[in-house]
Amino acid sequence: MSIGHPTYPDDTHQSSISPPSMTSISSPSITNNNSPTPHTSRITPPMTTATPRWMEEQSPNTIWTRFIEKYRFGKAILVAGGMTGVFVVMFIVLGTLGVFHNAEYRGLAGIPSVGTSKYDGDSWGTATEGHFAMGGKGDGTYYDPGVGITSCGGSFTAQDMIVALNHIDFGRYADPNTSPACGACIEVTGPLGTTKATIQDTCPGCGRGSLDLSPAVFGKVGNFVDGRIPVSWSSC
């Protein structure tokens, strides 16, 4: 009696099951992100958007806009013309009100007193290098010394107690700073009193004996309403 391989009930089922076929297993697809994108000959045109008409800046068609478009510097010409017109109108109004003929307003505005000599002028004494002993009389006017450098080489304001001596008594020098009158102290007497001041400038339009005073000096000896007053002066 031969002994064979034992059989089990499940053996028949195991033999009927075939292993899965390798061809039935599909491999997952792998995408290579580094692969170049195929080049196409299609060119996409740039997108343009039309500006609505209501958003477009529109200049009114006036004589001024046409003038600006016609001339290169039209806008600058119009601005300059407008400013000039304002000043012209302002001066016309001030002239109509008589402001320029009022000596008080002229003094407040810093406009110098001008005009021909009104009072008899004279001077006396001597002036040599390092020595000034003179006196005189004549017209007393006023000016603003702050408009520039004085003949004696200084810089002053309307509040400084200085005077400009007439060109005759000041003398003519190649260098005005060398005039004996520069820095000399004088006493000025006018209708309202006497005060001291120093000579720091020359007055080309003043006659002999006359003085052109700073507003500070003029206010001590005269009234700005008069504009031109009689003065006398002498060395301190």
Side-chain angles (χ1 to χ4, degrees), residues 85-138:
V86 170
F87 280 107
V88 169
V89 173
M90 181 182 67
F91 281 111
I92 291 175
V93 172
L94 294 177
T96 304
L97 297 176
V99 172
F100 298 115
H101 297 287
N102 191 309
E104 183 176 4
Y105 290 138
R106 290 169 60 88
L108 294 176
I111 302 174
S113 54
V114 295
T116 58
S117 297
K118 184 176 180 180
Y119 305 98
D120 294 334
D122 194 10
S123 61
W124 48 85
T126 59
T128 58
E129 185 177 355
H131 177 74
F132 184 84
M134 292 188 66
K137 64 176 183 177

Side-chain angles (χ1 to χ4, degrees), residues 146-192:
V147 296
I149 303 299
T150 64
S151 297
C152 294
S155 179
F156 302 92
T157 67
Q159 287 73 41
D160 293 319
M161 300 292 287
I162 68 168
V163 302
L165 185 62
N166 65 86
H167 66 99
I168 300 173
D169 295 325
F170 188 89
R172 299 185 63 179
Y173 300 88
D175 183 1
N177 293 330
T178 61
S179 172
C182 285
C185 174
I186 61 173
E187 288 186 348
V188 182
T189 301
L192 298 184

Side-chain angles (χ1 to χ4, degrees), residues 18-29:
S18 60
S21 174
M22 295 298 295
T23 59
S24 64
I25 301 175
S26 59
S27 60
S29 60

Side-chain angles (χ1 to χ4, degrees), residues 11 17 24 47 51 54 70 104 135 137 163 181 193-194 221 224-225:
D11 287 347
I17 298 174
S24 64
M47 297 181 62
T51 304
W54 62 271
K70 183 177 180 180
E104 183 176 4
K137 64 176 183 177
V163 302
T194 301
V221 299
F224 284 104
V225 175

